[in-house]
Amino acid sequence: MQSNTVLKQATITASSTPKEELPFTLQDLKAAIPAYCFEPSVWKSLSYFFLDIGIIAGFYAIAYKLDSWLFFPIFWVLQGTMFWALFVVGHDCGHGSFSKIKWLNNLIGHLSHTPILVPFHGWRISHRTHHANTGSLETDESWYPVSQTKYKQMRWYEKLFRYNLPLLAYPLYLFKRSPNREGSHFLPNSPLFRPSEKWDIVTSSVLWVLMVAFLGGLTFQFGWLFLVKYYLVPYVVFVMWLDLVTFLHHTEPDIPWYRGDDWYFLKGALSTIDRDYGFINPIHHDIGTHVAHHIFLNMPHYHLKTATEALKPVLGEYYRCSNEPIWKSFMRSYWACHFVKDQGSPVYYESPKHPRSN
């Protein structure tokens, strides 16, 4: 169980998952949620997509009209945040929670992800692996901890991006994946993908290359400064948002990680935490409401808050949430979450300067 000190520091409303089996089943949790929460509305989902696209277009129009270095820093933050919001729409498409129409999910997914240089199908499939294996030290896909021995063996540049520059790690992950994993999100023969998914990967990779070519054409026509002002800096802000939020979804000193037979889906799915991003919550489509999403990944984002309230009484102490400022959560995890012990299950994050006493 968490100590009182940790509770006071983190304002987290749950204890570490006990070793005994969970006192509820997946069916118990589903029964507690109103049935409509599992039903996506095509028109409601599309409205979020078109709203994000409209806001992005509006910001571009204002920035181009003003063409002022006084406005550009504001524009970069606003537009990068909207790129992140658009990514979350594509995220719903990847889960099939945008609609029940596969071709529409694929279409909107590509329209949401390709402009921000995300290979939709490649990301969709690796993210599927993450959801199917959350909390497993052997098979989770993103932001999983390395063992203490692996940490000591990591090369300086691996530690640089993983521990010193974590908010810039995403583009590298697309090409190289994470420690102890091999493959690329762009190649159909990557271990990430099944042979039957070959043409999905080819499609998304070709569209990604065409987007890069389009950006190259803009640079040739208008110059590097144009690209930097209107695309590259907002893209970096988007990457920082993506890495920040996904890092904080699963990186917390008191979130358990499991080995071997000690892991199963529902126990692993609870190895995440809800976080409050304040006024950003509706802008990035409540993606911080993450516990319910990991248990039922096919639930549209606009039903997650309702589902969470329904789940809380059933989950009890197994529900984790944090209401502390995001910057404070990030800094604590940044310093304290580097590796886990080589043996045992469950295990928890620690660092050379913050060893965990058992």
Side-chain angles (χ1 to χ4, degrees):
M1 303 291 267
Q2 289 175 315
S3 67
N4 291 333
T5 300
V6 172
L7 282 171
K8 290 177 181 178
Q9 289 176 343
T11 64
I12 294 173
T13 64
S15 64
S16 302
T17 304
K19 291 183 179 180
E20 63 265 18
E21 294 305 301
L22 300 173
F24 45 76
T25 66
L26 196 62
Q27 289 71 28
D28 294 332
L29 297 177
K30 186 172 184 179
I33 300 173
Y36 71 84
C37 289
F38 296 95
E39 296 297 322
S41 163
V42 170
W43 300 113
K44 192 167 186 176
S45 296
L46 283 172
S47 71
Y48 284 103
F49 169 72
F50 286 116
L51 177 63
D52 288 350
I53 290 293
I55 294 173
I56 289 170
F59 284 156
Y60 270 129
I62 295 170
Y64 187 77
K65 179 71 174 178
L66 294 178
D67 195 21
S68 168
W69 286 104
L70 294 176
F71 179 69
F72 276 121
I74 300 172
F75 164 73
W76 293 333
V77 173
L78 295 177
Q79 196 70 303
T81 302
M82 289 311 303
F83 282 6
W84 164 236
L86 188 62
F87 174 89
V88 177
V89 171
H91 167 268
D92 267 20
C93 294
H95 281 301
S97 58
F98 185 88
S99 78
K100 292 185 177 181
I101 307 170
K102 185 177 180 180
W103 69 263
L104 182 62
N105 292 334
N106 290 342
L107 173 63
I108 300 300
H110 280 103
L111 291 175
S112 299
H113 279 186
T114 304
I116 51 178
L117 296 180
V118 176
F120 173 68
H121 282 306
W123 170 85
R124 172 183 66 81
I125 293 167
S126 73
H127 194 63
R128 174 190 68 194
T129 301
H130 162 61
H131 270 268
N133 298 276
T134 303
S136 168
L137 288 170
E138 291 89 359
T139 55
D140 201 346
E141 173 63 24
S142 59
W143 291 119
Y144 52 85
V146 299
S147 68
Q148 188 170 6
T149 297
K150 172 62 179 177
Y151 176 80
K152 293 176 180 177
Q153 295 171 345
M154 290 175 73
R155 297 179 176 88
W156 68 268
Y157 57 85
E158 291 178 304
K159 289 185 177 179
L160 176 68
F161 280 97
R162 177 65 185 260
Y163 302 109
N164 302 113
L165 301 172
L167 299 189
L168 297 175
Y170 182 69
L172 183 64
Y173 165 71
L174 288 178
F175 286 94
K176 297 290 291 182
R177 294 180 74 190
S178 299
N180 299 330
R181 307 285 191 270
E182 295 181 356
S184 165
H185 286 73
F186 301 95
L187 302 177
N189 63 347
S190 170
L192 275 166
F193 313 124
R194 302 164 184 163
S196 60
E197 294 165 335
K198 172 182 177 180
W199 291 110
D200 282 346
I201 305 308
V202 169
T203 298
S204 294
S205 296
V206 167
L207 290 173
W208 187 92
V209 170
L210 290 175
M211 182 63 196
V212 172
F214 172 71
L215 294 172
L218 288 179
T219 305
F220 180 80
Q221 182 71 27
F222 301 105
W224 277 103
L225 188 59
F226 180 91
L227 184 71
V228 169
K229 289 192 302 184
Y230 292 102
Y231 188 84
L232 284 185
V233 181
Y235 173 77
V236 170
V237 173
F238 151 65
V239 167
M240 293 177 71
W241 265 117
L242 190 156
D243 279 322
L244 172 69
V245 175
T246 56
F247 175 84
L248 289 176
H249 281 164
H250 304 282
T251 311
E252 177 70 30
D254 286 281
I255 284 180
W257 291 82
Y258 304 97
R259 285 189 169 97
D261 292 339
D262 193 34
W263 176 92
Y264 59 87
F265 171 78
L266 183 54
K267 191 157 70 168
L270 294 173
S271 288
T272 186
I273 184 171
D274 283 359
R275 298 195 188 273
D276 184 3
Y277 292 82
F279 73 93
I280 299 294
N281 286 332
I283 296 174
H284 69 182
H285 309 307
D286 293 309
I287 194 63
T289 309
H290 209 62
V291 175
H293 170 64
H294 257 274
I295 301 172
F296 299 108
L297 56 87
N298 61 339
M299 190 183 302
H301 73 264
Y302 40 82
H303 292 320
L304 287 175
K305 292 176 73 174
T306 299
T308 298
E309 292 304 313
L311 286 173
K312 283 181 182 180
V314 183
L315 291 175
E317 64 177 7
Y318 293 85
Y319 171 70
R320 292 180 177 83
C321 74
S322 173
N323 297 313
E324 72 178 352
I326 291 301
W327 67 267
K328 192 173 182 180
S329 294
F330 173 72
M331 292 308 300
R332 186 183 64 258
S333 293
Y334 178 88
W335 292 114
C337 298
H338 286 180
F339 55 79
V340 296
K341 293 188 182 303
D342 291 344
Q343 297 179 340
S345 182
V347 289
Y348 301 84
Y349 266 117
E350 51 188 281
S351 73
K353 294 183 178 180
H354 299 83
R356 188 180 183 92
S357 58
N358 293 323

